[in-house]
């Protein structure tokens, strides 16, 4: 059983090269190949990350210290910006590396703290620093606001940054740096936590910057940040207003995403997708706690829900990419964002494929910590892909089945690493994507997040893990969810627009309340006060307080023809106080 199960998980390419070898020899050669690749690519990846960080990164010359380039690519696509999300995930990987092995990274980390403290003061299209501005997804590399059109706000940046810096602050406290943690690092974390508490129950754009709704990834990151932020505040003698009360409610809300045996990664939006998205696997590895058990509520990597979801998501790519053709269930495939993806015609991503590997290594680590593996009806299909005869039950470390499962799962993870190896160029450069038909690298070159994803996957493979974030005492959701108190500003929209019988006026814009620019979902205005001398259309809508949004009026005819008013988009910032009200007076243009 052991060798047959393990061999199912090793990509066929490796087995074909060893067709005349025994099963033991084939397995040994495949693993040796992976071991060498991981060693070599880890060096390439840490160098790749550092090359993209100012001020002395070889590909970030002239970029301010601590600023992370998403990629040095300036065209097709232009990623020569710094994203709050990408930078936070990159620095989370660097800070964990610093804590466990590499103390040479400290100056880089201190530079990041300073850079983020500055960016938190920059007013931008998402708002001022105290009115939604922390939800701005990206900035110019010279630390100025990016003012072009974009999917904003994105609410994952602040909690992700808070998590990265909380790991650093805790290390400082434990190593004689309490003053630095309190006076330099905590103020940055505190601002992010205030934003996170205030906006967690508001919709925003997902990590792929395409869907404005409720994102599983954002809310998972939010729960972790609030839990560890509250604990850090107590340790430093500070306050984290709302953290302790919001965290369990976020955890309760996360239950809403589980449906039909997997995580529907984006809800409260009509996106036309089935919801199988690597967003959810990324959530699992981000909220991985090495001290946790296999908790479904926090989607721990070894939990039944996370394993069932891993199968659902990875299986969804088996038939959409030519390079996956013929690879059966239970063997690793190239993984993309979601099967309906059309960006660059929809392809596998290095970081997505690496995330699938990392979950497997993290799950094996957790089972080895707890000393047992429990298979239930939810996770059984996942395990049967690797071991067809396995049954529901609990298997302890002393059993041969336990050892077989651990070996098969880790080898399954190696299969995803092998997939990355197969489509990584000889110099180890990791782009954003690789072609679904040929495997050739695509889109942005030297993507920082791709390199960071390799580092964390390799560390989990070597059983190197970050510190606990407190999951064991924060993994029980309330019996019933209570929505966060709304902090809305009531806006009365008045527009003078002359119409003919059968025509109606609507308002569409950059907010869920305004239909996210979709004419079919736009908010209707009333003609109850309309006269020939004063063609007034009006509507009163509750919008999130302290929020910047863009909007336009549209005209719909009785036959359904939609006419937009002329450019540019209109723009408004709601008042900061909860329950405030204001009136906008516009004229159709």
């Amino acid at each position: 059983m052991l060798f047959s199960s393990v061999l199912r998980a090793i990509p066929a390419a490796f087995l074909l090269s060893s067709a005349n070898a025994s099963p033991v020899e084939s397995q040994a050669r495949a693993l040796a190949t992976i071991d060498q690749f991981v060693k070599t690519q880890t060096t390439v990846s840490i160098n790749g990350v550092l090359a993209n960080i100012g001020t002395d990164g070889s590909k970030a010359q002239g970029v301010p210290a601590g600023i992370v380039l998403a990629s040095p690519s300036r065209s097709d696509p232009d990623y020569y910006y710094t994203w709050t999300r990408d930078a936070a995930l990159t620095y989370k990987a660097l800070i964990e590396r610093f804590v466990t092995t590499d103390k040479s990274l400290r100056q880089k980390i201190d530079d990041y703290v300073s850079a983020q403290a500055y960016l938190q003061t920059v007013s931008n299209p998402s708002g001022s620093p105290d009115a939604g501005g922390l939800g701005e997804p990206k900035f110019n590399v010279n630390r100025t606001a990016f003012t072009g059109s974009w999917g904003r706000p994105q609410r994952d940046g602040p909690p992700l940054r808070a998590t990265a810096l909380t790991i650093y602050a805790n290390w400082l406290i434990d190593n004689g740096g309490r003053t630095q943690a309190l006076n330099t690092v905590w103020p940055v974390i505190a601002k992010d936590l205030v934003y996170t508490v205030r906006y967690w129950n508001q919709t925003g754009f997902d990590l792929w910057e395409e869907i404005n709704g409720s994102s599983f990834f954002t809310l998972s990151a939010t729960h972790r940040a609030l839990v560890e932020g509250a604990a850090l505040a107590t340790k430093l003698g500070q306050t984290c207003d709302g953290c302790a009360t919001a965290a369990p409610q976020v955890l309760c809300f996360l239950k809403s995403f589980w449906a039909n045996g997997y995580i529907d990664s984006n809800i409260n939006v009509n996106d036309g997708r089935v919801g199988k998205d690597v967003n959810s696997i990324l959530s699992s590895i981000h909220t991985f706690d090495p001290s946790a058990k296999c908790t479904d509520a926090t989607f721990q990597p070894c939990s039944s829900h996370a394993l069932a979801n891993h199968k659902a998501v990875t299986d969804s790519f088996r038939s959409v990419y030519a390079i996956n053709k013929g690879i059966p269930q239970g063997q690793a495939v190239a993984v993309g964002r979601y099967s309906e993806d059309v960006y660059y015609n929809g392809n596998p991503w290095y970081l997505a494929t690496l995330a699938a590997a990392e979950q497997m290594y993290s799950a094996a680590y957790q089972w080895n910590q707890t000393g047992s593996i429990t298979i239930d009806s939810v996770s059984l299909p996942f395990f049967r892909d690797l071991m067809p005869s396995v049954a529901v039950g609990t298997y302890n470390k002393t059993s041969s089945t336990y050892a077989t499962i651990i070996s098969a799962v880790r080898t399954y993870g190696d299969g995803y690493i092998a997939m990355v190896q197969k489509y990584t160029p000889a110099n180890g450069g990791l782009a954003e994507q690789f072609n679904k038909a040929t495997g050739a690298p695509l889109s942005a070159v030297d993507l920082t997040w791709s390199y960071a994803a390799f580092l964390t996957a390799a560390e989990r493979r070597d059983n190197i893990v970050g510190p606990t974030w407190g999951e064991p005492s924060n993994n029980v959701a309330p019996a019933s969810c209570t929505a966060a108190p709304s902090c809305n500003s009531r806006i009365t929209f008045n527009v003078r627009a002359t119409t003919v019988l059968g025509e109606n006026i609507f308002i569409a814009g950059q907010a869920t309340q305004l239909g996210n620019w979709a004419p079919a979902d736009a908010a209707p205005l009333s003609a109850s006060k309309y006269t020939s001398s004063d063609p007034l259309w009006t509507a009163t809508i509750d919008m999130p307080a302290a929020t910047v949004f863009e909007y336009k009026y549209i005209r719909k005819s009785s036959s359904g023809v939609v006419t937009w008013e002329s450019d540019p988009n209109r723009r408004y910032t709601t008042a900061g106080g909860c329950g405030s009200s204001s009136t906008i007076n516009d004229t159709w243009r």
Side-chain angles (χ1 to χ4, degrees):
M1 175 65 74
L2 172 60
F3 293 131
S4 63
S5 298
V6 170
L7 290 174
R8 284 171 58 83
I10 296 175
F14 289 105
L15 301 184
L16 290 174
S17 66
S18 304
N20 297 320
S22 69
V24 175
E25 290 171 334
S26 295
Q27 179 192 4
R29 290 179 186 178
L31 294 180
T33 301
I34 295 296
D35 287 342
Q36 183 56 51
F37 173 66
V38 169
K39 181 179 179 180
T40 302
Q41 189 62 36
T42 294
T43 300
V44 172
S45 294
I46 185 61
N47 290 337
V49 168
L50 297 178
N52 287 348
I53 298 177
T55 182
D56 55 356
S58 62
K59 297 177 180 176
Q61 295 296 302
V63 174
I67 292 295
V68 182
L69 292 181
S71 161
S73 176
R74 294 177 186 252
S75 63
D76 193 28
D78 183 1
Y79 279 14
Y80 203 75
Y81 298 95
T82 184
W83 268 263
T84 303
R85 174 196 315 103
D86 295 36
L89 289 169
T90 297
Y91 262 96
K92 176 173 177 268
L94 291 182
I95 292 168
E96 287 183 344
R97 187 178 179 90
F98 164 79
V99 168
T100 56
T101 59
D102 189 354
K103 296 303 183 284
S104 70
L105 294 170
R106 183 163 182 179
Q107 185 59 56
K108 290 288 185 188
I109 297 168
D110 288 338
D111 289 344
Y112 173 69
V113 176
S114 299
Q116 300 308 299
Y118 182 87
L119 287 177
Q120 286 182 328
T121 69
V122 177
S123 292
N124 55 67
S126 291
S128 67
D130 298 319
L134 298 191
E136 183 67 10
K138 71 176 186 179
F139 294 83
N140 297 316
V141 298
N142 64 359
R143 306 191 305 179
T144 61
F146 169 75
T147 57
S149 298
W150 208 254
R152 53 171 68 92
Q154 293 176 26
R155 307 198 191 281
D156 54 4
L160 291 171
R161 181 167 53 197
T163 282
L165 294 182
T166 296
I167 297 170
Y168 184 45
N170 280 320
W171 181 88
L172 287 171
I173 293 169
D174 293 341
N175 290 274
R178 180 184 177 86
T179 299
Q180 182 182 355
L182 176 63
N183 296 333
T184 305
V185 184
W186 170 252
V188 181
I189 297 171
K191 289 179 182 177
D192 282 336
L193 294 176
V194 168
Y195 179 93
T196 301
V197 169
R198 181 166 191 174
Y199 291 104
W200 76 262
N201 204 30
Q202 300 284 357
T203 56
F205 279 85
D206 71 334
L207 75 167
W208 308 133
E209 310 188 305
E210 297 172 341
I211 300 298
N212 190 355
S214 298
S215 164
F216 187 77
F217 177 80
T218 300
L219 287 158
S220 295
T222 293
H223 177 251
R224 172 175 176 167
L226 294 178
V227 167
E228 60 194 349
L232 177 62
T234 299
K235 191 182 292 188
L236 289 173
Q238 302 296 302
T239 58
C240 182
D241 292 338
C243 289
T245 54
Q249 293 305 324
V250 176
L251 190 61
C252 195
F253 183 33
L254 284 167
K255 295 188 296 184
S256 307
F257 291 80
W258 180 257
N260 303 315
Y262 63 90
I263 291 293
D264 184 348
S265 289
N266 295 290
I267 62 174
N268 295 327
V269 61
N270 296 319
D271 59 4
R273 305 176 188 169
V274 297
K276 297 175 184 178
D277 190 316
V278 81
N279 161 327
S280 53
I281 295 179
L282 290 166
S283 301
S284 182
I285 64 175
H286 175 70
T287 57
F288 162 61
D289 189 319
S291 298
K293 296 181 179 179
C294 299
T295 317
D296 279 330
T298 57
F299 213 55
Q300 290 302 299
C302 64
S303 67
S304 293
H305 282 186
L307 294 172
N309 181 78
H310 186 284
K311 172 177 167 56
V313 173
T314 56
D315 281 354
S316 72
F317 296 104
R318 294 185 184 276
S319 62
V320 297
Y321 300 152
I323 59 175
N324 288 339
K325 185 177 180 180
I327 301 177
Q329 293 180 346
Q331 291 189 21
V333 291
V335 178
R337 301 192 300 175
Y338 50 92
S339 62
E340 303 93 341
D341 196 3
V342 296
Y343 181 56
Y344 273 77
N345 201 28
N347 297 284
W349 285 42
Y350 290 102
L351 69 89
T353 307
L354 290 163
E358 185 172 337
Q359 185 185 334
M360 296 298 93
Y361 303 137
S362 299
Y365 180 92
Q366 290 180 312
W367 288 320
N368 283 329
Q369 291 299 110
T370 59
S372 67
I373 299 171
T374 296
I375 301 176
D376 58 20
S377 60
V378 174
S379 60
L380 182 61
F382 166 85
F383 286 103
R384 282 205 166 159
D385 277 350
L386 306 181
M387 296 177 60
S389 63
V390 77
V392 168
T394 297
Y395 302 92
N396 295 318
K397 260 187 176 179
T398 55
S399 73
S400 60
T401 302
Y402 176 94
T404 302
I405 293 172
I406 292 291
S407 182
V409 169
R410 284 185 56 84
T411 305
Y412 188 35
D414 280 352
Y416 290 99
I417 297 292
M419 188 65 68
V420 169
Q421 178 186 18
K422 184 175 182 180
Y423 298 114
T424 295
N427 66 359
L430 295 181
E432 180 181 67
Q433 308 172 40
F434 48 105
N435 189 285
K436 63 185 176 184
T438 67
L442 275 178
S443 188
V445 299
D446 295 311
L447 191 77
T448 309
W449 191 356
S450 293
Y451 288 127
F454 193 92
L455 292 177
T456 56
E459 287 175 351
R460 301 302 177 263
R461 185 176 189 266
D462 289 341
N463 292 314
I464 299 171
V465 299
T468 179
W469 55 268
E471 191 277 350
S473 55
N474 293 276
N475 60 17
V476 179
S480 60
C481 300
T482 302
S486 60
C487 186
N488 290 330
S489 178
R490 179 157 292 186
I491 311 297
T492 297
F493 295 90
N494 291 329
V495 61
R496 269 73 184 182
T498 302
T499 56
V500 299
L501 186 64
E503 288 183 335
N504 289 282
I505 302 297
F506 295 75
I507 181 171
Q510 183 189 23
T512 301
Q513 295 84 348
L514 305 181
N516 291 317
W517 293 113
D521 299 323
L525 278 72
S526 168
S528 61
K529 299 180 180 179
Y530 185 103
T531 65
S532 58
S533 60
D534 186 17
L536 175 64
W537 291 82
T538 185
T540 299
I541 302 173
D542 286 339
M543 302 288 292
T547 298
V548 179
F549 65 94
E550 294 185 354
Y551 69 99
K552 272 187 176 181
Y553 297 102
I554 60 175
R555 184 190 307 263
K556 293 185 183 181
S557 71
S558 57
S559 61
V561 174
V562 174
T563 303
W564 293 79
E565 65 172 341
S566 60
D567 290 333
N569 294 341
R570 300 180 186 271
R571 184 180 181 83
Y572 190 75
T573 302
T574 57
C578 302
S580 58
S581 61
S582 59
T583 299
I584 300 174
N585 290 300
D586 292 322
T587 300
W588 177 276
R589 59 192 184 201

